PDB file of all heavy atoms in Angstrom:
ATOM      1  N   SER A 109     -18.191  -4.740  11.397  1.00  0.00           N
ATOM      2  CA  SER A 109     -16.857  -4.979  10.872  1.00  0.00           C
ATOM      3  C   SER A 109     -16.542  -3.946   9.811  1.00  0.00           C
ATOM      4  O   SER A 109     -17.415  -3.555   9.055  1.00  0.00           O
ATOM      5  CB  SER A 109     -16.815  -6.390  10.290  1.00  0.00           C
ATOM      6  OG  SER A 109     -15.513  -6.719   9.914  1.00  0.00           O
ATOM      7  N   ARG A 110     -15.325  -3.496   9.755  1.00  0.00           N
ATOM      8  CA  ARG A 110     -14.843  -2.572   8.722  1.00  0.00           C
ATOM      9  C   ARG A 110     -15.683  -1.318   8.577  1.00  0.00           C
ATOM     10  O   ARG A 110     -15.926  -0.843   7.469  1.00  0.00           O
ATOM     11  CB  ARG A 110     -14.815  -3.306   7.368  1.00  0.00           C
ATOM     12  CG  ARG A 110     -13.601  -4.187   7.254  1.00  0.00           C
ATOM     13  CD  ARG A 110     -13.531  -4.803   5.887  1.00  0.00           C
ATOM     14  NE  ARG A 110     -13.847  -6.200   5.961  1.00  0.00           N
ATOM     15  CZ  ARG A 110     -14.145  -6.945   4.906  1.00  0.00           C
ATOM     16  NH1 ARG A 110     -14.184  -6.429   3.710  1.00  0.00           N
ATOM     17  NH2 ARG A 110     -14.378  -8.224   5.043  1.00  0.00           N
ATOM     18  N   GLY A 111     -16.163  -0.764   9.686  1.00  0.00           N
ATOM     19  CA  GLY A 111     -16.870   0.507   9.601  1.00  0.00           C
ATOM     20  C   GLY A 111     -18.161   0.450   8.818  1.00  0.00           C
ATOM     21  O   GLY A 111     -18.743   1.439   8.456  1.00  0.00           O
ATOM     22  N   PHE A 112     -18.594  -0.751   8.494  1.00  0.00           N
ATOM     23  CA  PHE A 112     -19.814  -0.923   7.724  1.00  0.00           C
ATOM     24  C   PHE A 112     -20.553  -2.063   8.371  1.00  0.00           C
ATOM     25  O   PHE A 112     -19.935  -3.052   8.777  1.00  0.00           O
ATOM     26  CB  PHE A 112     -19.417  -1.267   6.281  1.00  0.00           C
ATOM     27  CG  PHE A 112     -20.566  -1.690   5.404  1.00  0.00           C
ATOM     28  CD1 PHE A 112     -21.286  -0.764   4.701  1.00  0.00           C
ATOM     29  CD2 PHE A 112     -20.910  -3.021   5.284  1.00  0.00           C
ATOM     30  CE1 PHE A 112     -22.337  -1.142   3.895  1.00  0.00           C
ATOM     31  CE2 PHE A 112     -21.950  -3.415   4.485  1.00  0.00           C
ATOM     32  CZ  PHE A 112     -22.676  -2.469   3.791  1.00  0.00           C
ATOM     33  N   PRO A 113     -21.844  -1.973   8.579  1.00  0.00           N
ATOM     34  CA  PRO A 113     -22.533  -3.055   9.291  1.00  0.00           C
ATOM     35  C   PRO A 113     -22.635  -4.292   8.414  1.00  0.00           C
ATOM     36  O   PRO A 113     -23.606  -4.513   7.728  1.00  0.00           O
ATOM     37  CB  PRO A 113     -23.897  -2.483   9.573  1.00  0.00           C
ATOM     38  CG  PRO A 113     -24.084  -1.397   8.592  1.00  0.00           C
ATOM     39  CD  PRO A 113     -22.740  -0.888   8.239  1.00  0.00           C
ATOM     40  N   LEU A 114     -21.590  -5.087   8.436  1.00  0.00           N
ATOM     41  CA  LEU A 114     -21.567  -6.272   7.594  1.00  0.00           C
ATOM     42  C   LEU A 114     -22.536  -7.310   8.131  1.00  0.00           C
ATOM     43  O   LEU A 114     -23.279  -7.924   7.395  1.00  0.00           O
ATOM     44  CB  LEU A 114     -20.164  -6.853   7.587  1.00  0.00           C
ATOM     45  CG  LEU A 114     -19.186  -6.078   6.750  1.00  0.00           C
ATOM     46  CD1 LEU A 114     -17.794  -6.576   6.976  1.00  0.00           C
ATOM     47  CD2 LEU A 114     -19.581  -6.255   5.303  1.00  0.00           C
ATOM     48  N   LEU A 115     -22.482  -7.507   9.430  1.00  0.00           N
ATOM     49  CA  LEU A 115     -23.302  -8.512  10.041  1.00  0.00           C
ATOM     50  C   LEU A 115     -24.032  -7.883  11.201  1.00  0.00           C
ATOM     51  O   LEU A 115     -23.490  -7.039  11.911  1.00  0.00           O
ATOM     52  CB  LEU A 115     -22.424  -9.641  10.607  1.00  0.00           C
ATOM     53  CG  LEU A 115     -21.507 -10.344   9.604  1.00  0.00           C
ATOM     54  CD1 LEU A 115     -20.566 -11.271  10.326  1.00  0.00           C
ATOM     55  CD2 LEU A 115     -22.321 -11.083   8.612  1.00  0.00           C
ATOM     56  N   GLY A 132     -27.352 -18.195   1.256  1.00  0.00           N
ATOM     57  CA  GLY A 132     -27.932 -16.858   1.231  1.00  0.00           C
ATOM     58  C   GLY A 132     -27.522 -16.127  -0.030  1.00  0.00           C
ATOM     59  O   GLY A 132     -26.561 -16.523  -0.680  1.00  0.00           O
ATOM     60  N   PRO A 133     -28.256 -15.063  -0.350  1.00  0.00           N
ATOM     61  CA  PRO A 133     -27.959 -14.346  -1.580  1.00  0.00           C
ATOM     62  C   PRO A 133     -26.590 -13.662  -1.541  1.00  0.00           C
ATOM     63  O   PRO A 133     -25.973 -13.529  -0.485  1.00  0.00           O
ATOM     64  CB  PRO A 133     -29.086 -13.306  -1.644  1.00  0.00           C
ATOM     65  CG  PRO A 133     -29.589 -13.177  -0.267  1.00  0.00           C
ATOM     66  CD  PRO A 133     -29.409 -14.520   0.365  1.00  0.00           C
ATOM     67  N   ASN A 134     -26.131 -13.194  -2.686  1.00  0.00           N
ATOM     68  CA  ASN A 134     -24.867 -12.476  -2.787  1.00  0.00           C
ATOM     69  C   ASN A 134     -24.874 -11.248  -1.894  1.00  0.00           C
ATOM     70  O   ASN A 134     -25.851 -10.490  -1.876  1.00  0.00           O
ATOM     71  CB  ASN A 134     -24.596 -12.016  -4.212  1.00  0.00           C
ATOM     72  CG  ASN A 134     -24.342 -13.173  -5.159  1.00  0.00           C
ATOM     73  OD1 ASN A 134     -24.792 -13.165  -6.289  1.00  0.00           O
ATOM     74  ND2 ASN A 134     -23.627 -14.174  -4.663  1.00  0.00           N
ATOM     75  N   GLY A 135     -23.813 -11.073  -1.161  1.00  0.00           N
ATOM     76  CA  GLY A 135     -23.717  -9.898  -0.306  1.00  0.00           C
ATOM     77  C   GLY A 135     -24.419 -10.078   1.027  1.00  0.00           C
ATOM     78  O   GLY A 135     -24.548  -9.134   1.797  1.00  0.00           O
ATOM     79  N   ALA A 136     -24.862 -11.302   1.326  1.00  0.00           N
ATOM     80  CA  ALA A 136     -25.587 -11.524   2.563  1.00  0.00           C
ATOM     81  C   ALA A 136     -24.636 -11.463   3.766  1.00  0.00           C
ATOM     82  O   ALA A 136     -25.069 -11.170   4.884  1.00  0.00           O
ATOM     83  CB  ALA A 136     -26.290 -12.868   2.544  1.00  0.00           C
ATOM     84  N   GLY A 137     -23.364 -11.756   3.566  1.00  0.00           N
ATOM     85  CA  GLY A 137     -22.434 -11.697   4.669  1.00  0.00           C
ATOM     86  C   GLY A 137     -21.864 -13.054   5.010  1.00  0.00           C
ATOM     87  O   GLY A 137     -21.317 -13.243   6.106  1.00  0.00           O
ATOM     88  N   LYS A 138     -21.949 -14.001   4.109  1.00  0.00           N
ATOM     89  CA  LYS A 138     -21.443 -15.346   4.380  1.00  0.00           C
ATOM     90  C   LYS A 138     -19.921 -15.340   4.581  1.00  0.00           C
ATOM     91  O   LYS A 138     -19.401 -15.852   5.580  1.00  0.00           O
ATOM     92  CB  LYS A 138     -21.799 -16.280   3.234  1.00  0.00           C
ATOM     93  CG  LYS A 138     -23.288 -16.394   2.970  1.00  0.00           C
ATOM     94  CD  LYS A 138     -23.593 -17.312   1.812  1.00  0.00           C
ATOM     95  CE  LYS A 138     -23.114 -16.789   0.472  1.00  0.00           C
ATOM     96  NZ  LYS A 138     -23.711 -15.498   0.103  1.00  0.00           N
ATOM     97  N   THR A 139     -19.239 -14.730   3.611  1.00  0.00           N
ATOM     98  CA  THR A 139     -17.791 -14.692   3.705  1.00  0.00           C
ATOM     99  C   THR A 139     -17.376 -13.955   4.987  1.00  0.00           C
ATOM    100  O   THR A 139     -16.463 -14.396   5.717  1.00  0.00           O
ATOM    101  CB  THR A 139     -17.195 -13.976   2.493  1.00  0.00           C
ATOM    102  OG1 THR A 139     -17.602 -14.695   1.319  1.00  0.00           O
ATOM    103  CG2 THR A 139     -15.698 -13.944   2.553  1.00  0.00           C
ATOM    104  N   SER A 140     -18.059 -12.846   5.275  1.00  0.00           N
ATOM    105  CA  SER A 140     -17.714 -12.090   6.468  1.00  0.00           C
ATOM    106  C   SER A 140     -17.903 -12.934   7.723  1.00  0.00           C
ATOM    107  O   SER A 140     -17.084 -12.894   8.647  1.00  0.00           O
ATOM    108  CB  SER A 140     -18.591 -10.851   6.572  1.00  0.00           C
ATOM    109  OG  SER A 140     -18.635 -10.176   5.346  1.00  0.00           O
ATOM    110  N   LEU A 141     -18.986 -13.705   7.758  1.00  0.00           N
ATOM    111  CA  LEU A 141     -19.232 -14.543   8.911  1.00  0.00           C
ATOM    112  C   LEU A 141     -18.131 -15.586   9.093  1.00  0.00           C
ATOM    113  O   LEU A 141     -17.612 -15.782  10.189  1.00  0.00           O
ATOM    114  CB  LEU A 141     -20.589 -15.240   8.758  1.00  0.00           C
ATOM    115  CG  LEU A 141     -20.955 -16.229   9.878  1.00  0.00           C
ATOM    116  CD1 LEU A 141     -21.097 -15.503  11.192  1.00  0.00           C
ATOM    117  CD2 LEU A 141     -22.230 -16.992   9.553  1.00  0.00           C
ATOM    118  N   HIS A 180     -12.339 -17.398  -1.351  1.00  0.00           N
ATOM    119  CA  HIS A 180     -12.602 -17.171  -2.778  1.00  0.00           C
ATOM    120  C   HIS A 180     -11.281 -17.123  -3.543  1.00  0.00           C
ATOM    121  O   HIS A 180     -11.195 -17.548  -4.681  1.00  0.00           O
ATOM    122  CB  HIS A 180     -13.311 -15.829  -2.988  1.00  0.00           C
ATOM    123  CG  HIS A 180     -14.725 -15.826  -2.532  1.00  0.00           C
ATOM    124  ND1 HIS A 180     -15.663 -16.662  -3.061  1.00  0.00           N
ATOM    125  CD2 HIS A 180     -15.376 -15.055  -1.644  1.00  0.00           C
ATOM    126  CE1 HIS A 180     -16.835 -16.418  -2.485  1.00  0.00           C
ATOM    127  NE2 HIS A 180     -16.694 -15.450  -1.605  1.00  0.00           N
ATOM    128  N   ASP A 252     -15.187 -21.479   2.030  1.00  0.00           N
ATOM    129  CA  ASP A 252     -16.035 -20.516   1.344  1.00  0.00           C
ATOM    130  C   ASP A 252     -16.252 -20.979  -0.087  1.00  0.00           C
ATOM    131  O   ASP A 252     -15.335 -20.970  -0.890  1.00  0.00           O
ATOM    132  CB  ASP A 252     -15.342 -19.136   1.395  1.00  0.00           C
ATOM    133  CG  ASP A 252     -16.308 -18.023   1.155  1.00  0.00           C
ATOM    134  OD1 ASP A 252     -17.510 -18.301   1.056  1.00  0.00           O
ATOM    135  OD2 ASP A 252     -15.848 -16.869   1.097  1.00  0.00           O
ATOM    136  N   GLU A 253     -17.437 -21.424  -0.390  1.00  0.00           N
ATOM    137  CA  GLU A 253     -17.777 -21.949  -1.714  1.00  0.00           C
ATOM    138  C   GLU A 253     -16.779 -22.976  -2.201  1.00  0.00           C
ATOM    139  O   GLU A 253     -16.107 -22.778  -3.210  1.00  0.00           O
ATOM    140  CB  GLU A 253     -17.790 -20.810  -2.736  1.00  0.00           C
ATOM    141  CG  GLU A 253     -18.979 -19.914  -2.535  1.00  0.00           C
ATOM    142  CD  GLU A 253     -19.162 -19.045  -3.766  1.00  0.00           C
ATOM    143  OE1 GLU A 253     -19.310 -19.621  -4.846  1.00  0.00           O
ATOM    144  OE2 GLU A 253     -19.156 -17.834  -3.634  1.00  0.00           O
ATOM    145  N   SER A 283     -19.752 -22.288   3.283  1.00  0.00           N
ATOM    146  CA  SER A 283     -20.728 -21.410   2.649  1.00  0.00           C
ATOM    147  C   SER A 283     -20.899 -21.902   1.226  1.00  0.00           C
ATOM    148  O   SER A 283     -19.926 -22.308   0.577  1.00  0.00           O
ATOM    149  CB  SER A 283     -20.240 -19.957   2.656  1.00  0.00           C
ATOM    150  OG  SER A 283     -19.762 -19.599   1.386  1.00  0.00           O
ATOM    151  N   HIS A 285     -23.520 -21.862  -2.557  1.00  0.00           N
ATOM    152  CA  HIS A 285     -24.723 -21.507  -3.320  1.00  0.00           C
ATOM    153  C   HIS A 285     -25.372 -22.773  -3.849  1.00  0.00           C
ATOM    154  O   HIS A 285     -26.589 -22.867  -3.910  1.00  0.00           O
ATOM    155  CB  HIS A 285     -24.346 -20.564  -4.454  1.00  0.00           C
ATOM    156  CG  HIS A 285     -23.917 -19.224  -3.991  1.00  0.00           C
ATOM    157  ND1 HIS A 285     -24.743 -18.400  -3.270  1.00  0.00           N
ATOM    158  CD2 HIS A 285     -22.736 -18.572  -4.120  1.00  0.00           C
ATOM    159  CE1 HIS A 285     -24.094 -17.290  -2.980  1.00  0.00           C
ATOM    160  NE2 HIS A 285     -22.879 -17.359  -3.477  1.00  0.00           N
ATOM    161  N   MET A 300     -28.656 -16.876   5.462  1.00  0.00           N
ATOM    162  CA  MET A 300     -28.387 -15.493   5.822  1.00  0.00           C
ATOM    163  C   MET A 300     -29.004 -14.567   4.780  1.00  0.00           C
ATOM    164  O   MET A 300     -28.990 -14.858   3.588  1.00  0.00           O
ATOM    165  CB  MET A 300     -26.889 -15.202   5.872  1.00  0.00           C
ATOM    166  CG  MET A 300     -26.171 -15.945   6.957  1.00  0.00           C
ATOM    167  SD  MET A 300     -24.482 -15.357   7.070  1.00  0.00           S
ATOM    168  CE  MET A 300     -24.734 -13.741   7.768  1.00  0.00           C
TER     169      MET A 300
ATOM    170  N   ASP B 931      -9.365   2.610   7.515  1.00  0.00           N
ATOM    171  CA  ASP B 931     -10.773   2.853   7.840  1.00  0.00           C
ATOM    172  C   ASP B 931     -11.190   2.142   9.100  1.00  0.00           C
ATOM    173  O   ASP B 931     -11.936   2.660   9.904  1.00  0.00           O
ATOM    174  CB  ASP B 931     -11.662   2.361   6.694  1.00  0.00           C
ATOM    175  CG  ASP B 931     -11.443   3.172   5.447  1.00  0.00           C
ATOM    176  OD1 ASP B 931     -11.020   4.329   5.602  1.00  0.00           O
ATOM    177  OD2 ASP B 931     -11.661   2.643   4.354  1.00  0.00           O
ATOM    178  N   ARG B1027     -29.223  -2.023   5.766  1.00  0.00           N
ATOM    179  CA  ARG B1027     -28.607  -3.339   5.581  1.00  0.00           C
ATOM    180  C   ARG B1027     -29.601  -4.436   5.909  1.00  0.00           C
ATOM    181  O   ARG B1027     -29.724  -5.412   5.193  1.00  0.00           O
ATOM    182  CB  ARG B1027     -27.379  -3.416   6.500  1.00  0.00           C
ATOM    183  CG  ARG B1027     -26.705  -4.763   6.540  1.00  0.00           C
ATOM    184  CD  ARG B1027     -25.881  -4.993   5.315  1.00  0.00           C
ATOM    185  NE  ARG B1027     -25.043  -6.167   5.450  1.00  0.00           N
ATOM    186  CZ  ARG B1027     -24.864  -7.058   4.486  1.00  0.00           C
ATOM    187  NH1 ARG B1027     -25.441  -6.894   3.327  1.00  0.00           N
ATOM    188  NH2 ARG B1027     -24.072  -8.094   4.676  1.00  0.00           N
ATOM    189  N   GLU B1030     -32.092  -5.082   3.328  1.00  0.00           N
ATOM    190  CA  GLU B1030     -31.570  -5.632   2.078  1.00  0.00           C
ATOM    191  C   GLU B1030     -32.071  -7.041   1.876  1.00  0.00           C
ATOM    192  O   GLU B1030     -32.003  -7.874   2.767  1.00  0.00           O
ATOM    193  CB  GLU B1030     -30.038  -5.702   2.177  1.00  0.00           C
ATOM    194  CG  GLU B1030     -29.315  -4.884   1.133  1.00  0.00           C
ATOM    195  CD  GLU B1030     -27.821  -4.843   1.441  1.00  0.00           C
ATOM    196  OE1 GLU B1030     -27.233  -5.930   1.606  1.00  0.00           O
ATOM    197  OE2 GLU B1030     -27.272  -3.721   1.525  1.00  0.00           O
TER     198      GLU B1030
ATOM    199  N   HIS E 188     -28.412  -0.664  -5.383  1.00  0.00           N
ATOM    200  CA  HIS E 188     -28.163  -0.126  -4.058  1.00  0.00           C
ATOM    201  C   HIS E 188     -26.667  -0.149  -3.704  1.00  0.00           C
ATOM    202  O   HIS E 188     -26.272   0.236  -2.622  1.00  0.00           O
ATOM    203  CB  HIS E 188     -28.951  -0.902  -3.004  1.00  0.00           C
ATOM    204  CG  HIS E 188     -28.585  -2.337  -2.947  1.00  0.00           C
ATOM    205  ND1 HIS E 188     -28.873  -3.211  -3.957  1.00  0.00           N
ATOM    206  CD2 HIS E 188     -27.887  -3.052  -2.025  1.00  0.00           C
ATOM    207  CE1 HIS E 188     -28.406  -4.409  -3.658  1.00  0.00           C
ATOM    208  NE2 HIS E 188     -27.800  -4.327  -2.489  1.00  0.00           N
ATOM    209  N   ARG E 189     -25.834  -0.662  -4.589  1.00  0.00           N
ATOM    210  CA  ARG E 189     -24.393  -0.672  -4.353  1.00  0.00           C
ATOM    211  C   ARG E 189     -23.630   0.189  -5.350  1.00  0.00           C
ATOM    212  O   ARG E 189     -22.434   0.096  -5.467  1.00  0.00           O
ATOM    213  CB  ARG E 189     -23.860  -2.125  -4.494  1.00  0.00           C
ATOM    214  CG  ARG E 189     -24.107  -3.008  -3.291  1.00  0.00           C
ATOM    215  CD  ARG E 189     -22.939  -2.877  -2.312  1.00  0.00           C
ATOM    216  NE  ARG E 189     -23.222  -3.577  -1.074  1.00  0.00           N
ATOM    217  CZ  ARG E 189     -23.877  -3.030  -0.069  1.00  0.00           C
ATOM    218  NH1 ARG E 189     -24.310  -1.811  -0.137  1.00  0.00           N
ATOM    219  NH2 ARG E 189     -24.072  -3.753   1.038  1.00  0.00           N
ATOM    220  N   THR E 192     -20.598   2.071  -4.116  1.00  0.00           N
ATOM    221  CA  THR E 192     -19.563   1.332  -3.371  1.00  0.00           C
ATOM    222  C   THR E 192     -18.330   1.176  -4.261  1.00  0.00           C
ATOM    223  O   THR E 192     -18.478   0.939  -5.470  1.00  0.00           O
ATOM    224  CB  THR E 192     -20.113  -0.069  -3.018  1.00  0.00           C
ATOM    225  OG1 THR E 192     -21.388   0.062  -2.410  1.00  0.00           O
ATOM    226  CG2 THR E 192     -19.164  -0.787  -2.069  1.00  0.00           C
ATOM    227  N   LYS E 195     -13.607  -2.575  -4.857  1.00  0.00           N
ATOM    228  CA  LYS E 195     -12.852  -3.507  -4.025  1.00  0.00           C
ATOM    229  C   LYS E 195     -13.635  -3.928  -2.781  1.00  0.00           C
ATOM    230  O   LYS E 195     -13.246  -4.897  -2.134  1.00  0.00           O
ATOM    231  CB  LYS E 195     -11.520  -2.887  -3.649  1.00  0.00           C
ATOM    232  CG  LYS E 195     -11.609  -1.692  -2.769  1.00  0.00           C
ATOM    233  CD  LYS E 195     -10.237  -1.121  -2.501  1.00  0.00           C
ATOM    234  CE  LYS E 195     -10.398   0.291  -1.966  1.00  0.00           C
ATOM    235  NZ  LYS E 195      -9.187   1.085  -2.059  1.00  0.00           N
ATOM    236  N   GLN E 196     -14.722  -3.227  -2.466  1.00  0.00           N
ATOM    237  CA  GLN E 196     -15.470  -3.607  -1.280  1.00  0.00           C
ATOM    238  C   GLN E 196     -16.592  -4.599  -1.579  1.00  0.00           C
ATOM    239  O   GLN E 196     -17.312  -5.026  -0.675  1.00  0.00           O
ATOM    240  CB  GLN E 196     -16.087  -2.367  -0.624  1.00  0.00           C
ATOM    241  CG  GLN E 196     -15.038  -1.422  -0.039  1.00  0.00           C
ATOM    242  CD  GLN E 196     -15.633  -0.175   0.495  1.00  0.00           C
ATOM    243  OE1 GLN E 196     -16.687   0.279   0.039  1.00  0.00           O
ATOM    244  NE2 GLN E 196     -14.991   0.431   1.465  1.00  0.00           N
ATOM    245  N   LEU E 197     -16.757  -4.955  -2.854  1.00  0.00           N
ATOM    246  CA  LEU E 197     -17.851  -5.846  -3.181  1.00  0.00           C
ATOM    247  C   LEU E 197     -17.583  -7.270  -2.720  1.00  0.00           C
ATOM    248  O   LEU E 197     -16.436  -7.682  -2.594  1.00  0.00           O
ATOM    249  CB  LEU E 197     -18.059  -5.849  -4.702  1.00  0.00           C
ATOM    250  CG  LEU E 197     -18.533  -4.546  -5.309  1.00  0.00           C
ATOM    251  CD1 LEU E 197     -18.661  -4.713  -6.809  1.00  0.00           C
ATOM    252  CD2 LEU E 197     -19.858  -4.110  -4.717  1.00  0.00           C
ATOM    253  N   SER E 198     -18.666  -8.031  -2.513  1.00  0.00           N
ATOM    254  CA  SER E 198     -18.504  -9.449  -2.233  1.00  0.00           C
ATOM    255  C   SER E 198     -18.261 -10.177  -3.542  1.00  0.00           C
ATOM    256  O   SER E 198     -18.437  -9.619  -4.626  1.00  0.00           O
ATOM    257  CB  SER E 198     -19.741  -9.990  -1.539  1.00  0.00           C
ATOM    258  OG  SER E 198     -20.741 -10.279  -2.496  1.00  0.00           O
ATOM    259  N   ALA E 199     -17.837 -11.436  -3.444  1.00  0.00           N
ATOM    260  CA  ALA E 199     -17.468 -12.169  -4.659  1.00  0.00           C
ATOM    261  C   ALA E 199     -18.595 -12.194  -5.667  1.00  0.00           C
ATOM    262  O   ALA E 199     -18.384 -11.953  -6.861  1.00  0.00           O
ATOM    263  CB  ALA E 199     -17.077 -13.604  -4.247  1.00  0.00           C
ATOM    264  N   GLY E 200     -19.812 -12.473  -5.197  1.00  0.00           N
ATOM    265  CA  GLY E 200     -20.935 -12.558  -6.107  1.00  0.00           C
ATOM    266  C   GLY E 200     -21.292 -11.215  -6.701  1.00  0.00           C
ATOM    267  O   GLY E 200     -21.671 -11.102  -7.871  1.00  0.00           O
ATOM    268  N   GLN E 201     -21.184 -10.170  -5.881  1.00  0.00           N
ATOM    269  CA  GLN E 201     -21.471  -8.829  -6.391  1.00  0.00           C
ATOM    270  C   GLN E 201     -20.490  -8.450  -7.483  1.00  0.00           C
ATOM    271  O   GLN E 201     -20.834  -7.785  -8.457  1.00  0.00           O
ATOM    272  CB  GLN E 201     -21.418  -7.816  -5.253  1.00  0.00           C
ATOM    273  CG  GLN E 201     -22.588  -7.969  -4.294  1.00  0.00           C
ATOM    274  CD  GLN E 201     -22.429  -7.160  -3.021  1.00  0.00           C
ATOM    275  OE1 GLN E 201     -21.309  -6.803  -2.632  1.00  0.00           O
ATOM    276  NE2 GLN E 201     -23.519  -6.874  -2.350  1.00  0.00           N
ATOM    277  N   ARG E 202     -19.251  -8.925  -7.340  1.00  0.00           N
ATOM    278  CA  ARG E 202     -18.239  -8.643  -8.356  1.00  0.00           C
ATOM    279  C   ARG E 202     -18.627  -9.351  -9.676  1.00  0.00           C
ATOM    280  O   ARG E 202     -18.485  -8.780 -10.736  1.00  0.00           O
ATOM    281  CB  ARG E 202     -16.891  -9.137  -7.834  1.00  0.00           C
ATOM    282  CG  ARG E 202     -15.743  -8.297  -8.296  1.00  0.00           C
ATOM    283  CD  ARG E 202     -14.497  -8.586  -7.491  1.00  0.00           C
ATOM    284  NE  ARG E 202     -14.518  -7.924  -6.212  1.00  0.00           N
ATOM    285  CZ  ARG E 202     -13.882  -8.369  -5.145  1.00  0.00           C
ATOM    286  NH1 ARG E 202     -13.173  -9.465  -5.206  1.00  0.00           N
ATOM    287  NH2 ARG E 202     -13.961  -7.703  -4.016  1.00  0.00           N
ATOM    288  N   SER E 226     -19.888 -18.327  -7.694  1.00  0.00           N
ATOM    289  CA  SER E 226     -20.182 -17.245  -6.758  1.00  0.00           C
ATOM    290  C   SER E 226     -21.561 -16.610  -6.932  1.00  0.00           C
ATOM    291  O   SER E 226     -21.929 -15.761  -6.129  1.00  0.00           O
ATOM    292  CB  SER E 226     -19.151 -16.108  -6.823  1.00  0.00           C
ATOM    293  OG  SER E 226     -17.901 -16.578  -6.456  1.00  0.00           O
ATOM    294  N   ASP E 228     -25.575 -16.374  -6.712  1.00  0.00           N
ATOM    295  CA  ASP E 228     -26.634 -17.045  -5.948  1.00  0.00           C
ATOM    296  C   ASP E 228     -27.727 -17.519  -6.909  1.00  0.00           C
ATOM    297  O   ASP E 228     -27.631 -17.317  -8.124  1.00  0.00           O
ATOM    298  CB  ASP E 228     -27.175 -16.129  -4.864  1.00  0.00           C
ATOM    299  CG  ASP E 228     -27.754 -14.853  -5.446  1.00  0.00           C
ATOM    300  OD1 ASP E 228     -27.925 -14.765  -6.673  1.00  0.00           O
ATOM    301  OD2 ASP E 228     -28.001 -13.933  -4.658  1.00  0.00           O
TER     302      ASP E 228
HETATM  303  N1  LIG F2131     -15.361  -2.126   3.575  1.00  0.00           N
HETATM  304  C1  LIG F2131     -16.629  -2.276   3.176  1.00  0.00           C
HETATM  305  N2  LIG F2131     -17.415  -1.158   3.023  1.00  0.00           N
HETATM  306  C2  LIG F2131     -18.687  -1.287   2.634  1.00  0.00           C
HETATM  307  N3  LIG F2131     -19.254  -2.458   2.374  1.00  0.00           N
HETATM  308  C3  LIG F2131     -18.535  -3.591   2.504  1.00  0.00           C
HETATM  309  C4  LIG F2131     -17.205  -3.566   2.903  1.00  0.00           C
HETATM  310  N4  LIG F2131     -16.742  -4.819   2.934  1.00  0.00           N
HETATM  311  C5  LIG F2131     -17.776  -5.615   2.586  1.00  0.00           C
HETATM  312  N5  LIG F2131     -18.860  -4.884   2.313  1.00  0.00           N
HETATM  313  C6  LIG F2131     -20.199  -5.372   1.932  1.00  0.00           C
HETATM  314  O1  LIG F2131     -20.589  -6.386   2.851  1.00  0.00           O
HETATM  315  C7  LIG F2131     -21.517  -7.272   2.269  1.00  0.00           C
HETATM  316  C8  LIG F2131     -21.212  -8.696   2.666  1.00  0.00           C
HETATM  317  O2  LIG F2131     -20.110  -9.217   1.962  1.00  0.00           O
HETATM  318  P1  LIG F2131     -19.714 -10.773   2.001  1.00  0.00           P
HETATM  319  O3  LIG F2131     -18.493 -10.922   1.173  1.00  0.00           O
HETATM  320  O4  LIG F2131     -19.680 -11.243   3.396  1.00  0.00           O
HETATM  321  O5  LIG F2131     -20.959 -11.422   1.251  1.00  0.00           O
HETATM  322  P2  LIG F2131     -21.184 -12.937   0.859  1.00  0.00           P
HETATM  323  O6  LIG F2131     -22.390 -13.412   1.570  1.00  0.00           O
HETATM  324  O7  LIG F2131     -19.933 -13.711   1.013  1.00  0.00           O
HETATM  325  O8  LIG F2131     -21.528 -12.772  -0.660  1.00  0.00           O
HETATM  326  P3  LIG F2131     -21.169 -13.682  -1.910  1.00  0.00           P
HETATM  327  O9  LIG F2131     -22.212 -14.730  -2.009  1.00  0.00           O
HETATM  328  O10 LIG F2131     -21.310 -12.724  -3.055  1.00  0.00           O
HETATM  329  O11 LIG F2131     -19.784 -14.169  -1.738  1.00  0.00           O
HETATM  330  C9  LIG F2131     -21.462  -6.961   0.790  1.00  0.00           C
HETATM  331  O12 LIG F2131     -22.639  -6.269   0.449  1.00  0.00           O
HETATM  332  C10 LIG F2131     -20.270  -6.057   0.605  1.00  0.00           C
HETATM  333  O13 LIG F2131     -20.509  -5.120  -0.410  1.00  0.00           O
END
Side-chain angles (χ1 to χ4, degrees):
Chain A
S109 187
R110 281 184 252 165
F112 171 89
L114 285 170
L115 303 172
N134 292 140
K138 301 179 293 300
T139 302
S140 313
L141 176 65
H180 288 300
D252 200 4
E253 289 195 57
S283 103
H285 292 299
M300 294 188 72
Chain B
D931 294 334
R1027 174 77 170 138
E1030 240 172 53
Chain E
H188 61 290
R189 281 271 173 274
T192 310
K195 65 182 164 198
Q196 293 175 333
L197 294 180
S198 81
Q201 290 169 337
R202 213 165 281 153
S226 297
D228 58 12

